[in-house]
Amino acid sequence: MKVTATRTREEIAKLREKAYLERWPAAQQLEALQDKQNGDATKWERMQADFAAIRALYPYPDTQTEEN
C-alpha cells in the first residue's frame, strides 16, 4: 500500500507566502513594482520568475499530476 501525505491549500498558501517574503520582502516587491511603473521592468520580471519557481515548488494539491 502506498501512502501519500498531501498538504491542504491553506498549508500550501502559507508556505508560498513565507517563501515569497523570504525571497522578496515587501519593500523590495514595492520597489520592483515602482521601477516597472517607471519603465524599468528588470526587477519585476526577476521577481515574477522567482514567484513562478516558488509556485512550482509548492503546487496546490488539485494541480498535481497523478503518478502511477
Side-chain angles (χ1 to χ4, degrees), residues 9 13 18 21 34-35 56-57:
R9 288 184 68 82
K18 183 180 179 205
L21 291 172
Q34 186 174 19
D35 286 356
L57 183 62

Side-chain angles (χ1 to χ4, degrees), residues 14-30:
K14 288 178 185 177
L15 289 170
R16 284 182 177 189
E17 181 179 8
K18 183 180 179 205
Y20 293 152
L21 291 172
E22 285 177 356
R23 179 62 187 100
W24 285 86
Q28 288 181 343
Q29 291 181 38
L30 291 172

Side-chain angles (χ1 to χ4, degrees), residues 5-20 54-64:
T6 59
R7 295 181 171 128
T8 65
R9 288 184 68 82
E10 293 79 20
E11 290 171 327
I12 296 295
K14 288 178 185 177
L15 289 170
R16 284 182 177 189
E17 181 179 8
K18 183 180 179 205
Y20 293 152
I54 291 167
R55 285 191 300 274
L57 183 62
Y58 299 114
Y60 284 122
D62 56 351
T63 60
Q64 295 177 356

